[in-house]
Amino acid sequence: MYTLFISTFRELIEIALLKNQELISKKEQVSNRNHSIYTVPLIEEILKENNLTTKDLNEIIVIDGPGSFTGVRLGITVAKMLAYTLNIKIKTISSIEALAAGKNINKMIINIKDPKGKYFGAFEDGKLISELAYLSNSDYEKFINENYKDFTEVNDDALNIEAICKYTQDIEEQNAHTIKARYIKGIEALNGR
């Protein structure tokens, strides 16, 4: 089974190809806010180098944010288009869960920062134990100190693509038409900010 992995939530675009949950090829490109220039050519390149076409794909995993507004939209659009036209499975994972996958820390906090605050999740034994939330910088520090004092804040931003693929095995596939991006501003609104 071939899985295409798409990550465009930050400046570093990561496209990977897995066979039976094992990484066989990976492409990276710093986008300089030009995700639209690089994403599809990277997918074409990775397939061509492995003597495959899109028709050989069985599943797509895409990071649905939060992150770069344009990057997230582009990655999701490409993933949805491929999943729909090929009639294959598509699964989404948040950037927070993707960053946590494969980290061997019992209790950890993963966050993504913007100038005003942080979007974060708490993990125990590799499982998300909190709702993903957004708080201002000052509220975040207070909240973490009051609720997750014994958790480690992890700043390692490397993605373990095989671990992400295994993590998503427990996530239900989605209808390509219903997939939406997670934006920090949307989370902020839900939290009454």
Side-chain angles (χ1 to χ4, degrees):
M1 180 172 107
Y2 288 104
T3 301
L4 179 67
F5 171 78
I6 301 172
S7 170
T8 57
F9 78 97
R10 54 188 175 182
E11 285 298 303
L12 180 66
I13 299 169
E14 295 177 76
I15 306 296
L17 186 64
L18 299 97
K19 184 176 182 180
N20 301 323
Q21 298 184 5
E22 290 186 20
L23 183 67
I24 58 173
S25 189
K26 179 179 171 185
K27 296 282 180 189
E28 294 180 344
Q29 175 68 52
V30 176
S31 74
N32 295 317
R33 298 184 184 188
N34 288 308
H35 292 78
S36 62
I37 294 171
Y38 300 114
T39 304
V40 171
L42 286 172
I43 293 169
E44 291 172 341
E45 202 175 298
I46 207 167
L47 291 171
K48 186 176 180 181
E49 287 177 6
N50 288 279
N51 297 315
L52 299 171
T53 69
T54 55
K55 292 179 183 175
D56 295 306
L57 297 173
N58 305 99
E59 173 183 64
I60 296 172
I61 297 170
V62 62
I63 295 180
D64 64 357
S68 159
F69 180 79
T70 303
V72 169
R73 285 188 310 162
L74 182 84
I76 287 174
T77 300
V78 170
K80 288 170 65 170
M81 182 261 321
L82 285 170
Y84 178 73
T85 58
L86 298 169
N87 195 28
I88 60 174
K89 293 190 282 187
I90 183 169
K91 295 179 179 183
T92 61
I93 182 172
S94 75
S95 51
I96 300 292
E97 291 168 287
L99 289 166
K103 305 270 191 297
N104 292 320
I105 299 170
N106 186 31
K107 294 180 176 185
M108 66 181 164
I109 301 287
I110 301 286
N111 67 51
I112 293 177
K113 305 168 191 165
D114 74 8
K116 294 180 181 177
K118 296 177 182 172
Y119 181 82
F120 67 96
F123 295 81
E124 193 164 353
D125 298 322
K127 292 184 175 72
L128 181 66
I129 61 165
S130 69
E131 291 290 321
L132 299 178
Y134 180 87
L135 293 173
S136 69
N137 287 320
S138 58
D139 289 346
Y140 172 83
E141 296 304 326
K142 183 179 177 189
F143 180 80
I144 295 302
N145 288 332
E146 289 175 1
N147 297 286
Y148 296 104
K149 195 183 302 185
D150 59 337
F151 281 60
T152 302
E153 203 166 341
V154 178
N155 295 313
D156 175 7
D157 68 349
L159 294 178
N160 181 330
I161 295 169
E162 286 183 353
I164 292 168
C165 187
K166 288 178 180 133
Y167 184 90
T168 62
Q169 294 312 298
D170 295 333
I171 295 173
E172 286 186 36
E173 68 179 90
Q174 295 169 261
N175 178 325
H177 295 296
T178 64
I179 293 173
K180 294 181 180 166
R182 297 180 210 219
Y183 298 120
I184 287 177
K185 294 297 177 197
I187 299 303
E188 213 175 336
L190 291 173
N191 291 341
R193 302 270 176 237

